[in-house]
Every structure is written in structure tokens, then in C-alpha cells.
Amino acid sequence: MSQQNKALEQVELPGVENIILVASGKGGVGKSTVASNLAITYASQGYQTALLDADLYGPSIPILFGLENQQPGVKKVDEQDIMVPLESYGVRIMSIGFLMNSQDPVIWRGPMASNALTQLLTTTEWGRLDYLIVDMPPGTGDIIITLAQKLRQAMGLVVITPQKLAVSDGLKAANMFLNKKLSIPLLGVVENMSYFVPKKHPDEKYDVFGSGGGNELAAKTQSPLLAQIPLVQDVSESMDQGKNLLESDNGMMKEAFSSLAEAITRQTKIVASQKE
Ligand SMILES: Nc1ncnc2c1ncn2[C@@H]1O[C@H](COP(=O)(O)OP(=O)(O)O)[C@@H](O)[C@H]1O
Ligand SMILES: [Mg+2]
């Protein structure tokens, strides 16, 4: 089979129950932060969880998990090399960043990039998974579409910030899932950096970036607003050092992600029942 035909094929991941594609209209809204902390939360609750960093324009999962200089293991299965994910916080982790030299500018074009992602998906020993969470590249490029088309169990999640101006970006990401050719079920919207709570005044809330964006996008896409994640100073500081929210011991963040995880579990069940 030619490389090209192979890329168009459906990818079967029979041991994987739910695949959650975390997308956003643009970068910097907290897609990787949400994807990682959601994965850590699910793993801490005993779900079999993996995280795939598919953001080849800025793979940040290895940094967020302090795995920059590591490589996945390799083993032979039926004469074929299979990659064994790294593990951190109980999450099985694969990143396109493990396969790229981080010094290299990303000059991959569409087909090359989507072949690389297909390879990551199909030659990784994921094992049985309740949740495979995918940190998608920002925007609505063809890479996302090719990836999404291959995954039967895929469901979408859109991350936006609370400004009204962010709604149109979020809508593009949501429409990418909902368009007729793909029709990937949209689980809902996550509003990140929703409000700021000062450490010294935990009972005060400030809308730093405006408000209402998440609700507006949810209404426009007829999907639920699944969570409003606060802006927490500790989070960006500790995550940049490769520590995660469970270590930063921030109750507020832990609570926000637990309720997001619960809301997603509920939604995946609704989506599954609609498919039957
Ligand atoms: N809820 C939050 N509170 C504090 N900082 C955050 C939060 N979400 C994201 N950040 C910070 O914002 C920056 C961008 O987040 P990131 O997850 O890398 O965005 P994206 O993957 O969408 O480009 C990072 O420095 C991250 O630590
Ligand atoms: Mg990112």
C-alpha cells in the first residue's frame, strides 16, 4: 500500500474507549494545560489514561511533564518496532516532540505531518484505555481533519478564554468538529482563565479577561459549558517547571478539573447513547 493510501485509512484502536480531541481556535488559550491536567485527573481517579501531544507546531507536553530529554521505549512485536509510552502521574504519554529534534523549526507539510501522527497513533503500545486525550495543534488545519477522520471514537472539546472576542475563534474550532464531513460529536466548551482569585483573598473573584465567552460559545454550538477553570498563578509557575497541579497543591484547580472530568464522563455517555 502506498504511503498516501495508508494515511487515508481508518485507524483502529480497539482497546481505546474514548478519544478526546482538545482543540482551540488559536494558541495560548491553555489547550495543553487543560489536556494535561485533565489526563492527570482521570489517572488519579483510576481511569486508564493516555495523553498524545499532537501539536507539532509547539509540542509542550514533554516540558509540562518534565520529560524533555527522554525518549519512549521501543520493542519488537511481530517483527515491527512498537513504541512504549513514557509514564508520568500514571498517564501514558506520547508526543510528536519525542520524535522531533527540539532545535529544528517545524517545516513539515500537511501529508508528512499527518503521516507522522498516524504513525504515533498506530505504532504506540497504548494498552487498554478509558481515555486517550489528544492535545491538538491550534487552528483548523488539515492535520486535525486527517487525524480526526481516522478515529472512530473521537469526540471534540473546545478550549477558549472568556473574552467575547475569543468566541469567533472558538466557533471555528467547534465548527471543524461539527462540519458534515467529519461530524465528530462536540462534548462541550471549557472556559480557561475564567477568573482570578488572589492567594491572600481566596473569597474574591476578578474577571481579568472579561466574561461570557464560554457561555456564548456553548449557546452558539448548542453544547454545554463544561467548566470554568480559574487563572492560578501557581499553575503557570509550577507547570513551566515540569510540575503539575497535583503537586502545586492548589485546591481550587484540583476542584475545577475534577468537575470538568465528571462533566466529560457524563457527556461521553450521552454521546455514546445517541450513537446507538
Ligand atoms: N488556568 C491557568 N492559570 C494560570 N496559567 C495558565 C492557565 N492556563 C494556562 N496557563 C498558562 O498560559 C500559558 C499558555 O497555556 P498553554 O496550555 O501552553 O496554551 P496552548 O496549549 O493553548 O498554547 C502557559 O504559560 C500556561 O502555564
Ligand atoms: Mg499547547
Side-chain angles (χ1 to χ4, degrees):
M1 194 181 291
S2 78
Q3 275 296 77
Q4 193 148 21
N5 287 341
K6 211 168 182 175
L8 290 171
E9 217 183 314
Q10 186 105 20
V11 173
E12 294 291 340
L13 298 172
V16 181
E17 201 69 38
N18 299 289
I19 300 176
I20 300 174
L21 307 173
V22 184
S24 68
K26 57 175 194 162
V29 303
K31 200 164 35 65
S32 301
T33 304
V34 169
S36 324
N37 288 318
L38 180 62
I40 294 170
T41 302
Y42 272 134
S44 76
Q45 294 173 349
Y47 290 103
Q48 301 292 325
T49 308
L51 180 59
L52 171 63
D53 181 2
D55 188 351
L56 70 166
Y57 301 114
S60 56
I61 300 297
I63 301 167
L64 295 182
F65 283 84
L67 301 170
E68 299 104 301
N69 299 317
Q70 297 193 41
Q71 291 289 318
V74 178
K75 68 180 204 187
K76 282 249 191 264
V77 176
D78 296 334
E79 309 273 300
Q80 209 199 346
D81 286 335
I82 299 286
M83 288 181 286
V84 183
L86 295 174
E87 198 168 316
S88 182
Y89 298 91
V91 180
R92 284 166 239 171
I93 297 170
M94 275 303 280
S95 170
I96 193 108
F98 293 142
L99 309 185
M100 297 178 350
N101 181 337
S102 58
Q103 306 301 313
D104 280 347
V106 178
I107 48 160
W108 294 0
R109 297 188 185 281
M112 240 170 113
S114 84
N115 278 339
L117 284 177
T118 307
Q119 200 188 334
L120 266 186
L121 273 168
T122 53
T123 58
T124 295
E125 187 181 61
W126 296 111
R128 197 192 70 70
L129 288 179
D130 297 302
Y131 292 101
L132 171 57
I133 295 164
V134 185
D135 186 9
M136 303 285 265
T140 54
D142 57 342
I143 295 158
I144 305 189
I145 305 212
T146 2
L147 176 67
Q149 274 173 334
K150 291 169 202 274
L151 303 168
R152 186 177 39 83
Q153 311 91 317
M155 293 168 279
L157 192 69
V158 176
V159 181
I160 71 159
T161 46
Q163 306 87 314
K164 300 268 185 199
L165 274 175
V167 174
S168 65
D169 286 322
L171 200 56
K172 281 183 206 150
N175 285 338
M176 156 190 92
F177 291 128
L178 296 171
N179 91 48
K180 285 209 180 66
K181 253 168 63 193
L182 288 188
S183 61
I184 291 175
L186 181 62
L187 292 170
V189 176
V190 178
E191 188 182 83
N192 187 34
M193 310 194 214
S194 280
Y195 53 90
F196 175 68
V197 178
K199 241 187 195 167
K200 290 193 178 138
H201 304 277
D203 47 347
E204 291 173 17
K205 265 188 180 186
Y206 295 93
D207 290 332
V208 188
F209 295 126
S211 66
N215 269 316
E216 196 176 319
L217 181 61
K220 284 198 162 134
T221 54
Q222 295 175 311
S223 72
L225 176 60
L226 297 168
Q228 291 178 300
I229 311 280
L231 175 75
V232 177
Q233 200 175 351
D234 280 2
V235 168
S236 51
E237 281 170 7
S238 59
M239 293 207 48
D240 288 344
Q241 294 161 12
K243 290 191 218 147
N244 269 294
L245 100 129
L246 297 182
E247 266 182 52
S248 73
D249 190 33
N250 192 305
M252 209 166 39
M253 209 58 173
K254 230 169 163 170
E255 213 173 284
F257 275 96
S258 295
S259 91
L260 173 61
E262 243 171 69
I264 291 176
T265 302
R266 262 199 313 276
Q267 278 301 109
T268 55
K269 288 185 181 144
I270 294 173
V271 165
S273 71
Q274 285 167 347
K275 270 189 186 167
E276 277 161 13

